[in-house]
Amino acid sequence: MRLRLLCSLAFTLIGIGTSAQSLSVAGQSLDFSSPLTANPNLTAGGTCVYDNVVDINGTAYDAIVTIDSINNALITNFDNSTATNGNDASYFSPQVIWTGAGSIAYSIAFIEDGTAGAPVTVYLDDLYLSAWDLDGVGPSAVFFEADGVSSYTVGSNTFLNYSTAGMGNARFTNNDGSSNTAVNDGRSRASVGFSSASTIQFKIGAASAGNKTHLISGNNPSDWFPTTAAQTTI
């Protein structure tokens, strides 16, 4: 009996020692400006490792972005870092040719620094993703969708329609073809919050053919001009 108890205790301690860390981002922005993967594959299954996506109390953490699936789309640039048309090197900005109504599913896995070869998972708390410039220019009905969402923010007079496929799912679609807005216009932006996540899953998509660079930042911006922020807890 004593041996069983000792074995049980040993396995419990081993489990505690190998459990993933949980770390608060505390409002910091995720930074995708330092890709480590040269010429990542642009088809389903393609991955890119990003160095130092966030620094927490002096310790850096990395991320692996994976293309999970592609439907009616060609990715021409895994992550366009050119600082034009409102883009920023810190954003994750896939450049896409939509060949019809379709979607691309991605996942972002957070890991300890330098462990991409044998990933050591970490959980990040209180983090955000924001999809910018979901306006009516280019392919129709562009959308951004995410799972595991705990809250979302849109402009109080947003051009985006919110829908959900179930608990924790949030989708934002622009069905107003006349909404030609600046990239930083809060009316064509959506932010989603995650209370805690080791992996974030999201989709981008459109309802027709066309070209678009999708701009996704790892924060919840404070400036929603010319509107005001309206946050909803799910």
Side-chain angles (χ1 to χ4, degrees):
M1 181 67 177
R2 183 181 179 187
L3 180 59
R4 290 180 183 175
L5 288 172
L6 289 174
C7 289
S8 177
L9 178 60
F11 282 120
T12 299
L13 291 174
I14 290 171
I16 292 173
T18 58
S19 61
Q21 300 182 62
S22 184
L23 305 151
S24 177
V25 174
Q28 292 188 70
S29 298
L30 304 180
D31 185 345
F32 296 95
S33 64
S34 299
L36 296 177
T37 306
N39 302 315
N41 192 314
L42 302 179
T43 60
T47 63
C48 184
V49 178
Y50 289 85
D51 191 32
N52 301 347
V53 167
V54 67
D55 186 294
I56 300 173
N57 297 324
T59 300
Y61 297 91
D62 298 346
I64 304 173
V65 177
T66 301
I67 304 169
D68 294 325
S69 64
I70 303 176
N71 177 34
N72 284 340
L74 299 172
I75 300 174
T76 57
N77 192 332
F78 193 99
D79 183 4
N80 183 358
S81 61
T82 305
T84 57
N85 298 323
N87 193 15
D88 188 275
S90 66
Y91 293 2
F92 174 63
S93 307
Q95 192 169 328
V96 180
I97 298 175
W98 297 104
T99 58
S103 64
I104 303 173
Y106 290 93
S107 57
I108 305 175
F110 303 107
I111 60 173
E112 290 186 5
D113 187 35
T115 68
V120 178
T121 298
V122 295
Y123 281 82
L124 299 184
D125 301 343
D126 306 316
L127 67 158
Y128 294 87
L129 290 182
S130 292
W132 300 67
D133 200 29
L134 298 173
D135 65 7
V137 178
S140 64
V142 292
F143 70 83
F144 173 78
E145 179 178 353
D147 291 315
V149 173
S150 58
S151 67
Y152 67 87
T153 304
V154 292
S156 58
N157 59 335
T158 183
F159 289 123
L160 308 180
N161 294 323
Y162 163 77
S163 61
T164 180
M167 182 65 69
N169 174 268
R171 179 166 171 162
F172 306 89
T173 307
N174 188 328
N175 291 318
D176 185 347
S178 64
S179 59
N180 183 358
T181 61
V183 170
N184 62 350
D185 192 313
R187 296 171 298 176
S188 57
R189 185 194 317 149
S191 294
V192 290
F194 306 87
S195 58
S196 184
S198 61
T199 300
I200 292 175
Q201 295 178 315
F202 68 92
K203 290 181 180 179
I204 56 175
S208 70
N211 301 345
K212 187 172 182 65
T213 298
H214 294 257
L215 308 180
I216 301 167
S217 67
N219 65 343
N220 183 14
S222 58
D223 185 1
W224 286 78
F225 182 83
T227 183
T228 56
Q231 187 176 65
T232 300
T233 299
I234 299 178

